[in-house]
Amino acid sequence: MPSFRLATWNSGGEAGGRGAQLAAAVNATNLTPPLVRLVLNQEAKVAVAPVGSIRAQLTGGAAPFANFVVPPDHPRELGPGQPFAVGVNRAYTVAWDPVGAGALVSAGPAARIALAPVPAPAANAIETYITGLGLGPAAANQLRQAARNIRAPVRKVFTLTTPGAPPVVHTIYVYTWHAELQANWLGATWATVGLGANPFVGPGMYPAFQFFQRAAQYQADLAAVTANDVIVIAGDLNITGADLNNNAATIFPNYVATSNNLSHVLAYSPSGALNIAQAWHFVTPYPPHSIITAEVQW
Amino acid sequence: MDIQDINGGAPDQALAVYSRAAYRAVGVPQVPGTLRWTLGGDTSPLRVEAGDAPDRVVVVSLHRSEQAGASTLTATFTPADSSPATSASIPLTVWAAQIEDAGGAALPTRTLGVGNLAHYRGVVQPPLQGVVVQATWQPAGQPGIAIARVGGQGLVDVLGQAATPDNADALLQLTLTLGGQQAKASQALTVFDLAIDWLAEGPDGLVPTGPFVGVGETRVGSARVRPESVLQVQPPPTWAWSAPEGLQPLGDTNAPNASFVATTAGADTPVRVALTLAASTVQAERRVTVFGVRIVGADEGTPSPSLPVGGQLALRAVIEPALPEARCIWSASGAISVLGADDQAVATGAQPSDSEGADAIALNVLMEGALAHALAPVTVYRAAITAPGGGTPTTQLPSSARQRYAVATEPALSSVAVSWAVQQGNAALAGATTQPQVELVTLGPSDRAGDIVLGVSVVPVDMPHGAPNATLAITAGSQRG
């Protein structure tokens, strides 16, 4: 049964002792096997010089990140073609351990996926979804602008080889996301567009999840994933565990998940052994997000 | 033989700790012999010193007795002729003042919140029956407490008035008077208070911020306790944050720090935190104003979702609650030019949008470092008259003919209202004139080329039609003259 362990944290920047907090959490996690092989950081510092405390830990060459790879170019949470984006534009850091048994092998650079609706020459799934809601032009356009300007997930693909005769190569489709708050897109609430009450009780943005699930890249990964593989979505999704559970039919159905406050790790595989184990969270002096570590098994 | 006090009155049988009492033996036989003073029972709390005469003695008290009457003072006269000795004894108790919790808790509280009351009782230890004890209380040490009420039976209520510094407590001092003796006791008190630091996310962590919050912004409330050392008290404190409906919690509200996102406008509303520690509860409050902004059109409603190239849209910012000193910054994406002046702006359609909903007008409102925003999506379109299938329209018709035309927009719009009209010339429209296609009927030859003008107005649904967005000049028959 393949598995790997990850840590995810919206650190709110990299100032102060955040790096030390992350190292302590991963060290504590690593007291039981397997070791954490993947670190996902949302709201990471954009500039790599002067280096932020988290990047410094990840690249410092010391345990628990001694062999970690941390590319110098890391995607920003918002892109240049988003003129109406809201909020401080920080970055995602995706760092991984490529060494030893259970190592993750990068299968391409991390990159934001596209959430914008495309109407022509053929409408993409996001545009089709919006027009299919039967809204007037003003309401539909609010959703279109939201889809164009919200923070998009970052995708990175790894492979993991498990021993066997022959060895089995597993593909891990990793998405990390700092999802939007609904309060930033009040014109795109279910109530304001005329579709009724907000399905979320907490601060999350329901339409954002609909855009993500209809993104072409995500749909392609969903079609490609086999029982040997897994899709992992981890980060600060800005929804509560209750909202995630209560909307399981329309938000990442068939995923397993572990949650702490607004941060989550979700996983999907056709494998019958899909599971999230050793799910821990570590409270830090930097509220409101804890560090989550978890082992994804499939 | 008897023992009296040095002045001939009843002897003190209860001595305060660290005090002295003088006694004398009376009725000593007037025969040769020796008078000895001895302590009996629990002698550890007492010492005897010789008086200024053999029939006198001074007793010095040290620590308090374990129980009342556990010690004795005995005067023994032994005659020189070996006849039987005569003695007299009194029980002695060394008592101390003690401060106890008035509610019966094992230990009196030593932690008190500002504005809270702690309840104590001054008692004599060991307990003595049938004595009258007078208790007086006063604050001492660091300022921070006041005596709120003194009750009977040694009761006192103490009010926490001001936070004490780290490592420097207030003192509650008790003086008990019993007979002619006094004993004191003190209770150290750490008095704590609470304030809220209101913080926003900055480039390098959290920074203090003012009372304004734009809808969509996040803030962190951080409870500041003085003195900080009080947080080490066991059991640990409990926290409870509360905020108005317009501030939605982003996590645990039972912690020293709580995060919020502003969701709806509200003026001067309170964010509160309550800290409960060692039976005290203190609260702090910070008043904030959440402001939001809407973009409205000329009719105060939602702005039109589309705008023809060259058309103009009057817009206004509605800030809730009203903030006259807020600064409005208008901007728009590529197909729109916007000219803003304070809370008003005029948007002009500059070129067709790439697709429906691809463009918008944005408004950012700044108020003392806080930011709210609104977005009005507007599609800029160009209309054109085409052939029914979308190709080039016919502009040369017979003098008596019927020809269908269609209207197309660039980009395609999902919902518009169409109105056709013959602007001029010898022609008329047959059938419906509000559909995407129309039938033109020529009624005779043109006087000159292109003197029949077919026009179409394309506007958002529920908007009034104005001048045509597109026209087509048509010639009927052979041109005369």
Side-chain angles (χ1 to χ4, degrees):
Chain A
M1 178 184 66
S3 79
F4 77 99
R5 213 155 179 200
L6 66 92
T8 179
W9 188 25
N10 179 346
S11 57
E14 297 189 45
R18 288 169 168 81
Q21 290 284 327
L22 178 63
V26 174
N27 273 326
T29 300
N30 286 349
L31 292 175
T32 63
L35 301 177
V36 168
R37 292 287 189 173
L38 177 65
V39 170
L40 304 170
N41 180 206
Q42 306 90 49
E43 288 203 48
K45 190 166 174 277
V46 172
V48 297
V51 65
S53 71
I54 291 179
R55 180 169 283 267
Q57 284 283 346
L58 293 171
T59 58
F65 308 119
N67 298 312
F68 268 62
V69 171
V70 191
D73 297 323
H74 53 170
R76 299 188 72 163
E77 293 183 340
L78 295 161
Q82 298 184 286
F84 304 123
V86 175
V88 178
N89 188 9
R90 288 205 170 102
Y92 295 102
T93 291
V94 179
W96 68 96
D97 186 350
V99 173
L104 297 176
V105 177
S106 169
R112 279 190 309 275
I113 67 170
L115 297 184
V118 175
N124 69 359
I126 296 170
E127 173 69 16
T128 301
Y129 168 71
I130 293 173
T131 56
L133 293 171
L135 304 170
N141 288 342
Q142 287 283 359
L143 290 176
R144 290 188 178 103
Q145 283 296 333
R148 287 170 180 271
N149 289 285
I150 61 174
R151 286 186 291 261
V154 153
R155 170 185 181 270
K156 182 169 175 66
V157 181
F158 296 94
T159 59
L160 170 71
T161 301
T162 52
V168 179
V169 177
H170 309 271
T171 303
I172 304 172
Y173 303 90
V174 173
Y175 287 85
T176 184
W177 193 23
H178 178 197
E180 292 281 348
L181 291 162
Q182 179 66 79
N184 284 317
W185 292 92
L186 295 183
T189 68
W190 249 218
T192 57
V193 301
L195 291 174
N198 187 349
F200 289 167
V201 174
M205 183 182 175
Y206 184 82
F209 290 84
Q210 307 310 315
F211 303 148
F212 182 0
Q213 292 173 100
R214 289 164 177 80
Q217 182 63 76
Y218 175 75
Q219 287 284 321
D221 290 346
L222 205 57
V225 71
T226 71
N228 278 332
D229 314 317
V230 69
I231 299 176
V232 172
I233 301 170
D236 170 15
L237 306 188
N238 267 321
I239 59 169
T240 62
D243 279 339
L244 193 62
N245 290 334
N246 293 336
N247 291 276
T250 58
I251 308 290
F252 300 122
N254 302 314
Y255 274 71
V256 295
T258 184
S259 305
N260 176 261
N261 190 21
L262 304 176
S263 293
H264 311 268
V265 176
L266 298 92
Y268 169 70
S269 170
S271 165
L274 178 66
N275 185 39
I276 290 180
Q278 302 197 81
W280 298 345
H281 73 273
F282 300 84
V283 178
T284 76
Y286 309 105
H289 304 293
S290 298
I291 301 169
I292 295 180
T293 66
E295 179 185 1
V296 177
Q297 304 168 337
W298 68 99
Chain B
M1 199 164 80
D2 203 0
I3 297 174
Q4 295 176 345
D5 85 352
I6 196 66
N7 297 314
D12 283 329
Q13 297 185 21
L15 277 67
V17 290
Y18 312 116
S19 64
R20 312 163 68 88
Y23 305 90
R24 70 172 186 165
V26 297
V28 178
Q30 298 299 309
V31 296
T34 56
L35 181 65
R36 285 175 52 234
W37 293 91
T38 56
L39 292 171
D42 179 12
T43 63
S44 64
L46 298 163
R47 298 289 181 269
V48 292
E49 294 178 348
D52 54 4
D55 64 343
R56 301 177 184 201
V57 75
V58 172
V59 176
V60 178
S61 62
L62 304 174
H63 59 79
R64 76 166 179 91
S65 302
E66 288 292 316
Q67 59 187 90
S71 308
T72 56
L73 175 67
T74 301
T76 304
F77 180 78
T78 305
D81 61 2
S82 302
S83 52
T86 307
S87 66
S89 290
I90 57 170
L92 291 177
T93 304
V94 181
W95 61 274
Q98 184 165 297
I99 299 174
E100 295 181 344
D101 178 82
L107 293 173
T109 188
R110 70 169 328 278
T111 311
L112 181 62
V114 169
N116 286 258
L117 289 176
H119 314 285
Y120 303 93
R121 182 194 303 273
V123 298
V124 167
Q125 287 289 353
L128 295 175
Q129 302 300 317
V131 296
V132 175
V133 181
Q134 183 185 26
T136 57
W137 301 88
Q138 65 184 49
Q142 282 290 329
I145 60 172
I147 306 299
R149 187 177 71 96
V150 177
Q153 299 185 359
L155 291 171
V156 70
D157 293 342
V158 176
L159 174 69
Q161 277 195 322
T164 51
D166 269 312
N167 303 314
D169 289 334
L171 286 178
L172 172 64
Q173 202 163 69
L174 164 69
T175 302
L176 291 181
T177 304
L178 191 168
Q181 305 260 314
Q182 277 193 341
K184 293 181 186 294
S186 294
Q187 173 64 48
L189 276 168
T190 304
V191 185
F192 65 95
D193 70 3
L194 189 62
I196 294 176
D197 290 329
W198 192 238
L199 307 168
E201 199 170 316
D204 296 310
L206 297 173
V207 295
T209 187
F212 292 99
V213 191
V215 168
E217 292 194 299
T218 58
R219 293 288 187 268
V220 174
S222 180
R224 177 162 38 91
V225 183
R226 296 185 307 168
E228 282 188 15
S229 57
V230 78
L231 295 174
Q232 307 306 315
V233 167
Q234 292 294 324
T238 60
W239 304 87
W241 286 85
S242 64
E245 198 174 310
L247 283 173
Q248 185 174 33
L250 287 177
D252 190 5
T253 55
N254 300 114
N257 301 308
S259 296
F260 303 91
V261 59
T263 57
T264 50
D268 195 38
T269 52
V271 176
R272 297 191 179 101
V273 63
L275 163 64
T276 299
L277 177 66
S280 285
T281 297
V282 293
Q283 280 200 352
E285 177 180 289
R286 180 66 77 111
R287 301 196 77 85
V288 300
T289 292
V290 178
F291 67 98
V293 63
R294 292 182 293 122
I295 299 174
V296 299
D299 61 352
E300 300 295 307
T302 303
S304 172
S306 53
L307 182 65
V309 171
Q312 290 194 324
L313 205 55
L315 303 164
R316 191 171 74 85
V318 176
I319 303 171
E320 295 165 333
L323 297 173
E325 296 183 2
R327 189 157 73 98
C328 295
I329 302 170
W330 297 89
S331 62
S333 52
I336 305 169
S337 67
V338 66
L339 190 62
D342 298 325
D343 64 342
Q344 303 200 30
V346 174
T348 304
Q351 63 193 48
S353 299
D354 291 339
S355 61
E356 185 169 23
D359 288 291
I361 298 153
L363 171 62
N364 286 289
V365 174
L366 297 171
M367 183 68 192
E368 292 186 11
L371 173 69
H373 60 273
L375 200 68
V378 175
T379 306
V380 182
Y381 67 95
R382 177 181 288 131
I385 298 174
T386 70
T392 305
T394 303
T395 57
Q396 179 69 55
L397 295 174
S399 58
S400 177
R402 290 173 178 266
Q403 177 63 50
R404 295 193 70 80
Y405 294 93
V407 62
T409 59
E410 177 197 359
L413 296 176
S414 59
S415 180
V416 291
V418 174
S419 178
W420 297 90
V422 173
Q423 303 297 311
Q424 66 179 55
N426 201 9
L429 299 179
T433 59
T434 58
Q435 297 298 312
Q437 290 192 15
V438 74
E439 186 173 63
L440 179 77
V441 181
T442 55
L443 301 176
S446 292
D447 291 328
R448 60 185 181 284
D451 65 351
I452 298 173
V453 177
L454 172 65
V456 64
S457 164
V458 180
V459 297
V461 171
D462 297 332
M463 294 289 287
H465 288 282
N469 303 107
T471 59
L472 185 68
I474 300 165
T475 305
S478 299
Q479 183 179 333
R480 280 206 299 257

